Amino acid sequence: MNRADETFQVSEIISRYVLGSMTESEKEELDGWLDRSPRNKLLFEELVRQEVASGKILAYGRVEWEGALKELLEQKKKLRLAGRKRRIIRLGSCAAVLLFACMGIWFYYIQTGNALIGEGEVHKEIPKLLAGKPQATLQLASGKTVFLTSDSSRRLEPEYGVEIRQDSGVIKYQVAEVQGGKEEQYNMITVPRGGEFTLILSDGTQVWLNAETSLRYPVEFVGNERKVYLEGEAFFDVTHDKQKQFVVETEKAKVQVYGTAFNVYAYPNEYEVVATLVRGAIDLKERGSGNRIQLEPGEQGCLAGGKLTKREVDVDMYIAWITGRMVFKSICLGDMLKHLARWYDVNIVFTEERLKEVSFTGEVKKYDDFTEVLDVIESTQVVRFRIEDRTIIVY
């Protein structure tokens, strides 16, 4: 039996093992394969361990499998395996399991250039690339710097009559005493690559900050408006106050509201500023000009090259990151990996520019190890990845 033939056969048997539909003859065949080499046992255990068999396959189920299955079967045909008589495995969850098992073995052979795992071969461990976590740096008005992580809950020293408390991955401001006639004093929170943090401002507005993001804001809002300054991406759930407009100012644009929920994407090195409205109403305005557009729920406004446009969107795609998911629809691989690189704090290198334009639709769990996310993408058979320390090579 050649390498490709055995790859598909073993994958199919493992898929039936995971689904609990393996026959006695298949069990004997699997036992024989496991006894052939300790490395076969290691690979089998890795493929069927609980977190993979549940979480990873469920994640795979969110990829568009029809194309992947078609491609896989086409490869099988090219390898002259189509003529083999086998039971047809029904589509659905079984198709995902078959592909998951087959890709686990098949990509191993392709990447290592080895035959089926045999005696005397050295197992190369794939490094773990852990997901981001709550972490930030808080610059107080006094000049003091505080490092924030999810491991601590504490009360910081009050500033200008405002209490500042940290509860795990959330920092909260609360006005302890009203002081009239004072000037606004600013704090700045900076979230690094591989980080996130949640902030509750003194007016009760809640802000979710994504990786590589900074927000400058008053300790207490004074005057006729509530203005904050954003670089990066944040989701705002603004406390309603018809007397005080809430303004998010970025390098190129302003978002003006009174009480609403919306997402702003405004990284300083990006070509466009994007605002996505979930609830209420907002104005998106170009700084330094009178150009503006008003958005209604379910709409997204974009400022690019001095031009303002808007369109209807599925807002879940743009706010899923605050609920532990990342949702992508017909997105270029280059753009998708740019988002993921910020969260996982890795570098991405494409061996060919054309690979950046590959389109991807799917959903991944934000807190999964990045190697599992790469497995989901790689399972489509469009691209492959090689991990070198914290650099991901796309080829």
Side-chain angles (χ1 to χ4, degrees):
M1 183 183 298
N2 63 36
R3 180 194 312 178
D5 198 357
E6 187 165 357
T7 296
F8 281 103
Q9 187 167 333
V10 171
S11 300
E12 189 171 337
I13 292 174
I14 291 176
S15 72
R16 289 203 179 94
Y17 174 89
V18 172
L19 293 169
S21 60
M22 189 170 56
T23 66
E24 283 299 319
S25 62
E26 288 170 339
K27 184 177 183 304
E28 291 177 4
E29 190 171 350
L30 178 61
D31 289 341
W33 182 76
L34 292 175
D35 290 340
R36 192 179 312 163
S37 165
R39 292 194 61 211
N40 288 3
K41 290 182 180 179
L42 287 174
L43 179 58
F44 173 78
E45 291 170 359
E46 175 66 19
L47 289 172
V48 300
R49 64 189 171 92
Q50 183 175 356
E51 57 264 43
V52 173
S54 56
K56 195 170 183 181
I57 292 174
L58 289 174
Y60 280 14
R62 292 188 287 269
V63 178
E64 291 186 345
W65 281 104
E66 184 177 353
L69 182 60
K70 181 178 178 181
E71 176 68 20
L72 181 61
L73 294 178
E74 185 65 24
Q75 282 201 20
K76 186 174 179 180
K77 181 178 179 181
K78 290 177 181 178
L79 291 167
R80 300 187 300 278
L81 297 174
R84 295 184 56 88
K85 293 182 179 179
R86 304 199 178 192
R87 284 194 306 262
I88 296 175
I89 298 181
R90 59 185 172 80
L91 294 177
S93 62
C94 193
V97 178
L98 170 61
L99 281 168
F100 136 73
C102 197
M103 292 306 155
I105 302 172
W106 185 250
F107 278 119
Y108 177 85
Y109 301 148
I110 291 173
Q111 289 168 352
T112 63
N114 292 332
L116 285 167
I117 300 172
E119 299 286 355
E121 294 176 353
V122 179
H123 177 64
K124 182 179 180 181
E125 177 146 357
I126 297 175
K128 280 189 173 292
L129 296 173
L130 300 179
K133 59 185 179 181
Q135 55 179 322
T137 302
L138 179 64
Q139 183 76 40
L140 300 174
S142 63
K144 182 180 179 181
T145 298
V146 181
F147 297 99
L148 307 173
T149 68
S150 60
D151 300 329
S152 58
S153 295
R154 53 184 165 171
R155 177 183 294 180
L156 303 181
E157 184 177 337
E159 287 204 322
Y160 305 97
V162 178
E163 292 184 353
I164 307 174
R165 296 187 180 186
Q166 181 194 354
D167 182 9
S168 188
V170 179
I171 194 86
K172 182 177 182 179
Y173 289 71
Q174 187 170 1
V175 178
E177 55 181 291
V178 178
Q179 299 179 3
K182 61 182 179 182
E183 295 183 357
E184 284 185 330
Q185 303 294 327
Y186 284 85
N187 283 186
M188 176 179 282
I189 186 169
T190 301
V191 180
R193 290 170 68 90
E196 65 179 355
F197 224 81
T198 302
L199 174 68
I200 301 176
L201 300 174
S202 61
D203 67 337
T205 292
Q206 193 162 359
V207 187
W208 288 260
L209 300 164
N210 209 346
E212 206 170 10
T213 294
S214 64
L215 187 74
R216 182 171 175 263
Y217 53 93
V219 174
E220 180 183 0
F221 293 108
V222 177
N224 298 323
E225 68 176 5
R226 299 169 287 168
K227 181 182 287 189
V228 300
Y229 302 86
L230 174 71
E231 285 190 1
E233 183 174 21
F235 180 83
F236 296 84
D237 193 345
V238 178
T239 299
H240 182 73
D241 184 347
K242 63 181 181 180
Q243 303 300 323
K244 284 189 177 183
Q245 180 177 235
F246 192 95
V247 179
V248 180
E249 191 161 310
T250 73
E251 181 182 11
K252 302 173 184 176
K254 291 183 180 181
V255 178
Q256 299 173 316
V257 304
Y258 287 95
T260 183
F262 60 97
N263 193 79
V264 179
Y265 182 92
Y267 285 95
N269 58 342
E270 299 268 340
Y271 177 67
E272 58 186 15
V273 175
V274 180
T276 307
L277 181 61
V278 176
R279 186 183 69 247
I282 64 175
D283 282 347
L284 177 61
K285 178 183 178 182
E286 182 183 12
R287 287 187 64 180
S289 79
N291 298 333
R292 70 172 65 203
I293 54 174
Q294 188 173 69
L295 302 182
E296 296 181 354
E299 290 186 334
Q300 182 181 85
C302 177
L303 172 64
K307 184 178 180 181
L308 285 167
T309 58
K310 68 177 180 177
R311 60 173 182 157
E312 291 185 357
V313 296
D314 177 3
V315 297
D316 184 58
M317 286 178 53
Y318 300 93
I319 67 169
W321 64 271
I322 72 172
T323 63
R325 299 175 297 127
M326 292 187 179
V327 179
F328 304 103
K329 184 175 181 181
S330 300
I331 186 173
C332 293
L333 185 62
D335 290 337
M336 182 177 71
L337 290 179
K338 179 174 59 181
H339 292 300
L340 293 171
R342 287 195 187 105
W343 174 237
Y344 287 96
D345 190 18
V346 296
N347 300 310
I348 307 293
V349 176
F350 284 84
T351 58
E352 298 180 61
E353 283 295 311
R354 66 176 181 83
L355 296 177
K356 294 182 179 180
E357 302 306 315
V358 170
S359 181
F360 183 88
T361 293
E363 177 181 325
V364 296
K365 293 181 179 179
K366 183 178 175 181
Y367 298 104
D368 279 352
D369 185 288
F370 195 33
T371 54
E372 294 191 12
V373 176
L374 294 178
D375 282 343
V376 173
I377 302 170
E378 197 174 63
S379 68
T380 64
Q381 297 214 57
V382 177
V383 294
R384 298 173 190 158
F385 302 99
R386 185 172 69 253
I387 302 173
E388 297 180 0
D389 195 20
R390 300 200 69 82
T391 297
I392 311 300
I393 311 296
V394 187
Y395 65 100

